[in-house]
Amino acid sequence: MAQDSAAWAENFREATESDPVIQSYAKYYTCDFLFDMEELRVGVSMRDGRVQKIEIDPPPLTPHHFSLHASAETWRKMSQKHPPPFFQGIWAASVREDLRIEGDIKVLMQNLRNFTAQFELLRQTGVPV
Amino acid sequence: MAKISPVTGRYVTFEVDGLEYRVFWCENGHGPPLVCHHTAATHNHQYRHLLEDEDFTSRYRIIAYDMARHGKSDPPRNAEWWKEDYRLTADHFVNFVTAFCDALELEKPIFLGSSFSGCVALHLALRCPERFGAIIPLQAADYAPGWWLDWWRHPHTNAAQVCSSGVWDMMAPMSPDAERWLTLWYHMQGAEVLKGDLYFYSMDHDLRGRLHEIDTDKCPMVMMTGSYDFLTPPAVTQATAEQVAGAEYIEMKNLGHFPMSENYPLFKPYLTQALDIIERKLAASVS
């Protein structure tokens, strides 16, 4: 059963801001991105390693630098403690599964180390779909 | 209390295609040489566990080197390499490996290569099987397009972070954190050469339609890949192995693209299995 999205957002914020890997490198981790989970969308704004905002189903035309789109099933698999093969991250799932990465890829690359660590926190928090 | 490793490191200087390289290698053990080549943009520390494993060093002379431009092996000493865009070719890669083996006067070594060096292992088996006792390509495919990317060396990004984060997903999520971070760390150190290494991997390496020419009677081959390797997934490596008559294929469960480094205890039984297969085949060919 999908968890309450507002509670999930708070968990994800707390996990991000208390994660020692991200916080050891947090300075300049600044970007806006969107998780499109098929049944629900999540906008995340990061500023210097802190979560400025997590917005569930942001309105149309809300700007972001890059976005990740996949089926709800893929998001559920990516957020398992031990994801099955090819669901273990954005590279694997975009090459072998249905994850699509769109937008300004350069911003993603500039923030890749922290984003990768933050994305992996989904294995702790799960996803709201 | 201090503990001194039995592994020794030395340098050897030799020429490849007119380029003079000073190459660093580590070794330990006694027996037939087992020459180990790291993955792209890294160095021989990927084999740190194998080099100290007495179950293997009691049977083999384990040799793990840093390819030129990687780790402690510098770019060519007699060329203005900083004025060129580094692009590794299949010809130069093959010539480098064979020249290194000649420099150390190795007689029919077993060659163990992974990822881009797993792919060059296929070239070695095709071009000069008589020079090797056996070939073990890890994480290899007949063709691996799509990874010669500008992102690996883009002036607007931090190449060390892009390269290392890019390979993070290639490891199995259950591999120990400390081993995964070391594997990532090695990629951070070599980020500047990743794009040039992958020129070989994704551009110059293409053995489609050639694999049937490999003669495993001259040189036995065991191919292995990790179940979490999205770059060369089991289906791709298996399809490659099936094109080589007499080649064996093993899927390594719960391992990714860097099995020897990311989770050595899981990798060890697979390597044991591969070497046992090779020993049986070599014994059968002698008898």
Side-chain angles (χ1 to χ4, degrees):
Chain A
M1 183 175 147
Q3 54 184 309
D4 174 76
S5 57
W8 173 85
E10 178 55 24
N11 286 341
F12 192 58
R13 183 198 63 74
E14 191 176 324
T16 299
E17 296 190 348
S18 62
D19 183 70
V21 175
I22 295 173
Q23 294 310 319
S24 71
Y25 240 76
K27 195 174 180 185
Y28 307 122
Y29 179 32
T30 295
C31 56
D32 302 314
F33 54 86
L34 179 81
F35 291 158
D36 177 358
M37 303 184 183
E38 185 182 7
E39 299 163 5
L40 178 143
R41 296 181 307 139
V42 179
V44 179
S45 294
M46 297 299 304
R47 296 291 179 273
D48 278 334
R50 312 295 293 182
V51 177
Q52 183 186 58
K53 183 170 64 174
I54 298 180
E55 191 171 17
I56 304 298
D57 282 332
L61 305 182
T62 301
H64 50 260
H65 292 106
F66 57 90
S67 54
L68 279 68
H69 308 259
S71 62
E73 183 60 20
T74 289
W75 284 96
R76 284 190 281 269
K77 288 181 178 174
M78 290 192 296
S79 65
Q80 292 176 14
K81 184 182 177 190
H82 289 152
F86 314 140
F87 291 91
Q88 68 265 29
I90 63 169
W91 295 75
S94 62
V95 172
R96 298 291 165 192
E97 303 299 336
D98 68 352
L99 179 69
R100 287 181 293 112
I101 304 173
E102 297 179 350
D104 191 341
I105 302 301
K106 187 164 82 177
V107 176
L108 171 61
M109 293 297 161
Q110 288 169 329
N111 291 280
L112 190 61
R113 183 188 187 277
N114 279 312
F115 179 79
T116 300
Q118 189 179 21
F119 189 83
E120 206 159 290
L121 293 176
L122 295 176
R123 296 181 195 169
Q124 295 177 30
T125 65
V127 290
V129 290
Chain B
M1 183 175 161
K3 183 180 175 188
I4 295 178
S5 168
V7 177
T8 56
R10 296 186 69 180
Y11 291 93
V12 59
T13 301
F14 56 90
E15 264 197 24
V16 184
D17 301 331
L19 298 175
E20 185 181 294
Y21 291 125
R22 185 169 186 255
V23 170
F24 177 75
W25 88 95
C26 286
E27 74 168 88
N28 187 25
H30 303 280
L34 173 61
V35 173
C36 306
H37 195 123
H38 52 79
T39 65
T42 63
H43 50 74
N44 60 10
H45 281 198
Q46 287 186 323
Y47 290 99
R48 62 196 177 280
H49 298 298
L50 177 60
L51 279 162
E52 295 192 338
D53 188 335
E54 289 182 7
D55 288 340
F56 292 110
T57 58
S58 61
R59 296 165 58 197
Y60 298 95
R61 179 185 173 194
I62 312 287
I63 298 167
Y65 58 88
D66 294 343
M67 191 183 183
R69 301 172 190 260
H70 300 68
K72 288 183 170 60
S73 297
D74 291 339
R77 298 163 67 126
N78 61 341
E80 293 183 325
W81 53 270
W82 55 92
K83 295 181 178 177
E84 295 175 353
D85 184 20
Y86 165 56
R87 294 181 182 183
L88 180 63
T89 64
D91 288 345
H92 193 62
F93 204 168
V94 165
N95 292 342
F96 181 90
V97 175
T98 54
F100 173 80
C101 294
D102 286 345
L104 265 61
E105 299 179 350
L106 304 178
E107 178 127 4
K108 291 183 82 71
I110 299 170
F111 183 82
L112 172 68
S114 182
S115 185
F116 84 142
S117 59
C119 292
V120 86
L122 296 172
H123 288 263
L124 296 172
L126 177 69
R127 299 184 189 198
C128 46
E130 69 286 349
R131 300 195 50 151
F132 294 91
I135 297 281
I136 307 176
L138 304 177
Q139 326 301 138
D142 55 353
Y143 184 52
W147 296 102
W148 190 53
L149 301 173
D150 286 337
W151 293 122
W152 307 132
R153 212 179 155 195
H154 195 293
H156 296 181
T157 66
N158 180 324
Q161 292 187 20
V162 172
C163 294
S164 60
S165 301
V167 304
W168 185 253
D169 285 14
M170 294 182 195
M171 292 181 269
M174 59 283 286
S175 291
D177 276 353
E179 302 297 296
R180 286 199 296 162
W181 277 98
L182 264 185
T183 305
L184 176 144
W185 184 249
Y186 303 151
H187 281 89
M188 281 189 163
Q189 297 166 354
E192 194 63 20
V193 293
L194 181 60
K195 188 182 176 196
D197 284 350
L198 295 186
Y199 180 80
F200 161 74
Y201 184 73
S202 282
M203 302 298 288
D204 204 37
H205 163 64
D206 184 355
L207 289 179
R208 289 175 296 174
R210 299 286 312 276
L211 295 175
H212 67 278
E213 298 173 37
I214 293 176
D215 185 350
T216 57
D217 287 338
K218 291 181 179 170
C219 180
M221 178 187 294
V222 180
M223 296 190 72
M224 302 197 287
T225 204
S227 60
Y228 272 88
D229 184 0
F230 74 85
L231 207 58
T232 43
V236 170
T237 300
Q238 183 172 8
T240 300
E242 285 174 353
Q243 297 173 65
V244 181
E248 302 277 346
Y249 165 73
I250 299 170
E251 178 179 336
M252 298 181 285
K253 300 287 186 189
N254 291 333
L255 285 166
H257 196 71
F258 311 99
M260 77 302 268
S261 183
E262 67 177 78
N263 196 340
Y264 182 74
L266 272 191
F267 173 63
K268 180 176 176 176
Y270 292 113
L271 181 60
T272 302
Q273 186 182 351
L275 290 170
D276 287 348
I277 290 170
I278 286 167
E279 285 193 2
R280 279 201 305 273
K281 291 198 173 205
L282 292 176
S285 67
V286 169
S287 65

